[in-house]
Amino acid sequence: MEEKQKYQRDESFRNKITTVNEDGGRKWLYPKKPKGKFTNYRSYLSYFLLVILFAIPWIKIDGEPFLMFNIVTRKFVLFGQVFWPQDFHIFGLIMISMVVFIVLFTSVYGRVFCGWICPQTIFMEMVYRKIEYLIDGDYKEQQRLKKQKWDLEKIGRRGFKYTLFYVIALIISHTFLAYIIGSDELIKIQTSPIREHIGGFFAIIGFSWVFFFVFAWFREQVCLIVCPYGRLQGVMLDRNSLVVAYDYIRGEGRAKFRKGENRKETGKGDCIDCNQCVNVCPTGIDIRNGTQLECINCTACMDACDFMMESTYQPKGLIRIDSENAIAENKRVKFSFRSKAYTVVLIILIVFIGFLFKLRGGVETSILRTPGVMYQETENGFISNLYNVKVVNKSGDALDLTFKLINYNGEIKMVGQDNLVVKKGESNQQAFFVEIAKNELTDKNTELTIGIYNHGELIEQEKTSFNGPVR
């Protein structure tokens, strides 16, 4: 045990990249097909998330998509709530809150998002990789096929596989475009002649080739060198974060398994150096070297190690979800004060995001007295003030607005048209007079409450001041 406590990891692995050969070329990975409890859980979750991913563009709330990010028209929809350019400050706060949420979540719970929820991982490992296993076989057969000459078998397998890959990429590109322009516009592109939607047609084709390139060739490189979330992992994790970790206290010194041997008596650790954890890793790392940027916490190594531990009659969990400190101190991971504090902050952030959604109404109105214009006294004994009203329509429908005094007897006379019409996503303004009988006024400045009605329904109240003569 004393020797194990003094165990120092070999840090030489940090001098090389698992997907780069010594000559600097791409080292193609052939991960072994994972099997086990965690792989099954991940598969079920992935299928559920895939259904949600493809269904969301077709879900509408009050006629608006559940999610849409239309950069062209600057219209963004979150959970059926439309965010126009006027709402950018709220949209920005929600996005910042989500980023903070992800950072805190990662600090406590590690990169569980990468391995279990990220669309890149789900499509790569649960769709494309499984098709590859089905057509090319497991990793040994794939390596053999790679070295095989281009005969009918290899041409047939490669042709069938990449055709399927492209068809799926085409389906993904349609869904991706639906998130940008909405399902209604997507259907128009799909059902109309190409000449009427040249831009949409080329967008679908372009996206499909991008997805094909990513999943057929680029693969794990997205996680290793492109994804900013993966690059930031080093500053978000610490030794108390939950990660997929190798118990080096228990596992070292590693040695091959010998049937009937008492490993404790011979001073050997539980790791039988079978390399199964390395063989199943989709990014090609050796988790026994410790937490690494390339690890996406997919837990495939946990399944592989548990299987070997069970086969050699040793306790499972040599590779498990744990913190570096818990393993070093040979203690079970605890829900620390920091974890509790971060979890409270996460809950507060969720409440804050909900508050931001509630804060944002469908209409934004401002009513101000026209600058530089004094009150006027009419011949029939009324005092009038001139106002300007500006309305921003954030709802998904056009507004047909009228205005009424709520807390005073008086009359509102619009300048021009009787109603103020505001198209969805736009703003409009108009002037109006407020007339109140002189004997109704008790002060020089009177606070007025004006009701804003859309098709006769009160949707908002706005306060302003009314000037009159000194009494």
Side-chain angles (χ1 to χ4, degrees):
M1 178 62 73
E2 187 178 348
E3 291 300 318
K4 292 177 184 177
Q5 296 290 359
K6 295 177 181 176
Y7 167 70
Q8 296 292 327
R9 288 195 180 98
D10 178 8
E11 300 288 334
S12 61
F13 72 95
R14 300 192 187 279
N15 298 326
K16 58 185 179 182
I17 301 174
T18 56
T19 56
V20 177
N21 284 320
E22 292 182 358
D23 60 3
R26 168 82 177 273
K27 181 182 177 182
W28 196 265
L29 297 180
Y30 298 94
K32 184 182 179 181
K33 185 178 181 180
K35 295 176 183 176
K37 179 176 67 176
F38 294 103
T39 301
N40 291 338
Y41 291 159
R42 201 154 62 98
S43 297
Y44 301 146
L45 179 62
S46 297
Y47 301 146
F48 173 70
L49 293 176
L50 283 172
V51 170
I52 291 178
L53 179 73
F54 285 108
I56 280 180
W58 307 96
I59 297 174
K60 292 188 176 181
I61 299 176
D62 295 332
E64 294 293 344
F66 187 77
L67 284 177
M68 190 177 77
F69 304 93
N70 196 328
I71 301 171
V72 179
T73 62
R74 295 182 297 170
K75 179 182 179 181
F76 304 92
V77 184
L78 290 177
F79 310 115
Q81 296 287 316
V82 182
F83 290 83
W84 299 99
Q86 298 88 345
D87 295 315
F88 187 78
H89 60 294
I90 295 178
F91 185 78
L93 283 173
I94 291 174
M95 291 295 106
I96 292 172
S97 300
M98 288 184 173
V99 169
V100 174
F101 183 94
I102 290 172
V103 171
L104 293 182
F105 186 87
T106 305
S107 299
V108 178
Y109 302 104
R111 288 183 69 179
V112 65
F113 173 83
C114 294
W116 290 64
I117 301 174
C118 175
Q120 158 69 21
T121 305
I122 289 176
F123 276 113
M124 186 65 247
E125 301 303 325
M126 294 296 162
V127 179
Y128 282 90
R129 191 85 75 186
K130 289 192 173 183
I131 291 174
E132 200 161 60
Y133 289 136
L134 194 66
I135 297 174
D136 290 349
D138 209 340
Y139 71 128
K140 292 289 185 185
E141 294 176 72
Q142 291 178 24
Q143 291 173 6
R144 180 188 61 79
L145 190 65
K146 170 73 175 178
K147 297 174 183 175
Q148 186 175 318
K149 65 178 182 180
W150 282 94
D151 54 12
L152 284 178
E153 182 199 1
K154 186 169 180 176
I155 293 172
R157 287 194 183 192
R158 286 285 190 266
F160 183 47
K161 183 177 77 172
Y162 287 125
T163 301
L164 264 181
F165 276 11
Y166 183 73
V167 169
I168 295 171
L170 202 55
I171 294 171
I172 297 173
S173 71
H174 278 76
T175 303
F176 183 71
L177 195 61
Y179 276 98
I180 297 176
I181 62 174
S183 56
D184 294 338
E185 287 298 318
L186 177 65
I187 291 175
K188 287 181 184 177
I189 294 174
Q190 291 171 332
T191 56
S192 302
I194 293 176
R195 64 178 179 276
E196 295 179 10
H197 300 282
I198 294 292
F201 173 75
F202 281 108
I204 290 174
I205 298 300
F207 285 142
S208 68
W209 282 108
V210 169
F211 288 122
F212 179 78
F213 167 77
V214 167
F215 294 117
W217 190 82
F218 206 49
R219 301 192 156 201
E220 74 284 343
Q221 299 299 312
V222 174
C223 306
L224 301 184
I225 61 177
V226 175
C227 178
Y229 180 59
R231 298 304 87 201
L232 290 172
Q233 181 191 208
V235 296
M236 291 190 284
L237 298 181
D238 60 24
R239 292 182 61 82
N240 289 312
S241 300
L242 291 175
V243 292
V244 173
Y246 165 66
D247 188 346
Y248 57 89
I249 301 294
R250 179 185 147 193
E252 298 302 319
R254 66 186 76 163
K256 296 294 183 184
F257 174 72
R258 289 184 179 179
K259 194 173 182 179
E261 180 185 38
N262 188 323
R263 297 178 69 86
K264 289 185 179 178
E265 289 182 354
T266 55
K268 296 177 180 175
D270 285 356
C271 178
I272 61 172
D273 205 17
C274 61
N275 264 351
Q276 291 302 304
C277 56
V278 180
N279 291 339
V280 297
C281 181
T283 58
I285 64 168
D286 187 342
I287 193 65
R288 295 172 296 180
N289 290 328
T291 302
Q292 296 155 68
L293 288 176
E294 293 89 345
C295 178
I296 59 172
N297 281 200
C298 69
T299 65
C301 55
M302 289 171 55
D303 275 334
C305 186
D306 281 350
F307 176 78
M308 297 309 298
M309 289 294 102
E310 203 168 23
S311 301
T312 55
Y313 310 106
Q314 299 187 87
K316 294 192 290 187
L318 182 59
I319 300 175
R320 61 179 182 271
I321 295 176
D322 213 328
S323 72
E324 290 285 343
N325 275 341
I327 288 177
E329 297 167 5
N330 199 20
K331 297 178 180 176
R332 294 186 64 84
V333 66
K334 292 182 179 179
F335 203 58
S336 63
F337 175 78
R338 188 198 70 149
S339 301
K340 292 175 183 175
Y342 279 14
T343 302
V344 170
V345 174
L346 292 175
I347 294 171
I348 292 173
L349 278 174
I350 292 174
V351 174
F352 178 65
I353 291 172
F355 172 74
L356 289 177
F357 270 98
K358 189 173 178 58
L359 182 68
R360 178 195 169 278
V363 179
E364 185 177 308
T365 309
S366 65
I367 298 176
L368 298 171
R369 281 194 302 107
T370 304
V373 179
M374 302 294 290
Y375 69 86
Q376 294 181 346
E377 187 170 353
T378 63
E379 295 179 349
N380 52 2
F382 282 80
I383 304 296
S384 75
N385 281 203
L386 179 62
Y387 294 85
N388 285 323
V389 55
K390 183 177 181 180
V391 179
V392 178
N393 183 3
K394 303 175 185 176
S395 70
D397 300 308
L399 299 174
D400 188 0
L401 303 177
T402 54
F403 304 88
K404 294 179 183 176
L405 291 177
I406 289 182
N407 62 336
Y408 262 86
N409 291 323
E411 188 178 3
I412 292 180
K413 293 182 178 179
M414 304 296 292
V415 177
Q417 296 181 344
D418 292 337
N419 294 1
L420 177 60
V421 178
V422 190
K423 297 179 181 178
K424 68 175 184 178
E426 296 184 2
S427 62
N428 201 357
Q429 57 186 336
Q430 196 170 342
F432 62 75
F433 286 99
V434 173
E435 291 187 354
I436 298 176
K438 185 176 180 180
N439 56 11
E440 292 275 345
L441 301 174
T442 58
D443 201 353
K444 181 182 178 181
N445 289 311
T446 303
E447 185 178 88
L448 292 184
T449 302
I450 298 177
I452 297 102
Y453 296 80
N454 181 35
H455 297 289
E457 179 187 356
L458 179 65
I459 58 172
E460 197 171 47
Q461 296 183 26
E462 191 70 17
K463 293 186 181 300
T464 187
S465 64
F466 185 90
N467 279 359
V470 178
R471 294 181 63 86

